[in-house]
Amino acid sequence: MKFDILTLFPAMFDGPFSESIIKRAVQDGLLDIRLHDIREYAVDRHRTADDYPYGGGAGMVMKVEPLAACIDKVKAERPAARVVLTTPRGRPFDQALAGELSHEDGLIIICGRYEGVDERVRELFAVDEVSLGDFVLTGGELAAMVIVDAVARLVPGVLGSEESAAADSFSDGLLEYPQYTRPAEFRGAKVPEVLLSGNHREIARWRRHQSLQRTLAARPDLLASARLSEEDIKYLAELTEGRRN
Ligand code: JD8
């Protein structure tokens, strides 16, 4: 899968793609991540990438010419890629969108800065606006890193057979059960007995119940679209019984 990231701050991306799973996937040729410095496409003496907003107001706006020149260049190299613009007004990014994007041939991700990008970028190019969530970042770079990470791990071969995206939180729409490793007791805190029992049916049951409990407590909104069995529904009824709500 090919990622092309358009940014004024390419150095921000040095860290996250140089470690662990993403690093290995790049080395293995499963991912091709390229960074494009938008400032290199500014042709004036000062390589200006921002300017004052028409109509006045606070802050600066990312200029259209350098960004358009950069998009033209990258699109010529990647004609089949989908273009994504990170912005707080975009479609909320979630696991379903990550899955959708992972089937694309390539992604061109535009990182805005300042107060945002000149509106004509959206007008002139077929861009899909994507938001990480309802909070404010200083620019689109961190959002782009999150999108690359979440999409890349869904590309076949990126996760080893050890990992595997199938059993994740969200694959069945519930939060994950608690995890433990050795030692069996630490500072008096014990690993639940059932996990040491070797009874795999009981372990699976316990984990499912933990997932249901946690989802009910922290994210009850997820239960509406979770894939639940008759048993799950019974268990949830038991949990909510006596709460009288
Ligand atoms: C891109 C500029 C900052 C945004 C004024 C200063 C995504 N979930 C998210 N939160 N914030 C962003 C995001 C913020 C950005 C840019 C993404 C470019 N800013 C601006 C508008 C209001 N501030 C984001 N994805």
Side-chain angles (χ1 to χ4, degrees):
M1 167 121 198
K2 300 172 181 73
F3 295 93
D4 287 85
I5 301 166
L6 283 50
T7 173
L8 287 170
F9 300 100
M12 281 183 74
F13 294 82
D14 287 351
F17 302 150
S18 309
E19 299 286 350
S20 185
I21 291 169
I22 304 297
K23 179 187 184 178
R24 193 190 59 214
V26 170
Q27 285 170 345
D28 293 351
L30 294 166
L31 305 176
D32 176 0
I33 306 175
R34 294 189 196 177
L35 289 153
H36 305 270
D37 186 346
I38 296 163
R39 195 174 298 282
E40 288 178 9
Y41 295 81
V43 292
D44 65 308
R45 202 159 60 88
H46 300 290
R47 310 229 128 176
T48 314
D50 63 317
D51 206 340
Y52 299 96
Y54 272 120
M60 303 297 274
V61 175
M62 234 162 113
K63 286 174 71 60
V64 66
E65 305 100 309
L67 193 48
C70 188
I71 297 169
D72 285 342
K73 162 86 182 324
V74 174
K75 275 189 118 178
E77 294 166 356
R78 310 261 194 242
R82 183 158 162 185
V83 185
V84 167
L85 174 67
T86 55
T87 162
R89 74 173 200 197
R91 166 174 166 189
F93 186 67
D94 61 11
Q95 194 61 22
L97 181 51
E100 194 182 303
L101 296 179
S102 74
H103 295 114
E104 299 287 343
D105 195 60
L107 287 185
I108 298 172
I109 307 178
I110 304 167
C111 305
R113 274 275 149 181
Y114 315 116
E115 292 305 302
V117 308
D118 188 304
E119 189 64 26
R120 289 168 291 186
V121 168
R122 296 161 177 100
E123 232 170 275
L124 297 170
F125 301 93
V127 303
D128 289 332
E129 298 180 275
V130 173
S131 167
L132 271 208
D134 295 338
F135 44 83
V136 185
L137 301 172
T138 55
E141 283 77 11
L142 285 166
M145 292 177 210
V146 169
I147 292 167
V148 170
D149 193 89
V151 171
R153 64 187 291 288
L154 300 178
V155 172
V158 169
L159 297 187
S161 47
E162 284 291 272
E163 299 116 352
S164 162
D168 287 343
S169 236
F170 301 118
S171 67
D172 60 4
L174 296 175
L175 301 183
E176 279 182 356
Y177 52 78
Q179 305 276 2
Y180 299 87
T181 185
R182 293 187 290 179
E185 182 175 346
F186 180 71
R187 298 186 182 176
K190 289 182 174 138
V191 173
E193 201 72 53
V194 61
L195 297 178
L196 312 176
S197 70
N199 184 336
H200 298 289
R201 271 181 57 92
E202 275 305 304
I203 291 169
R205 212 171 99 89
W206 180 85
R207 285 178 167 167
R208 187 72 183 176
H209 287 179
Q210 290 290 316
S211 281
L212 290 165
Q213 274 185 47
R214 288 180 156 209
T215 307
L216 181 65
R219 293 294 308 278
D221 58 299
L222 294 179
L223 291 172
S225 41
R227 279 192 298 249
L228 301 175
S229 67
E230 292 286 311
E231 262 238 41
D232 293 336
I233 293 161
K234 262 189 210 156
Y235 183 68
L236 284 166
E238 282 171 36
L239 287 177
T240 51
E241 236 169 68
R243 294 202 323 187
R244 294 284 148 250
N245 57 13

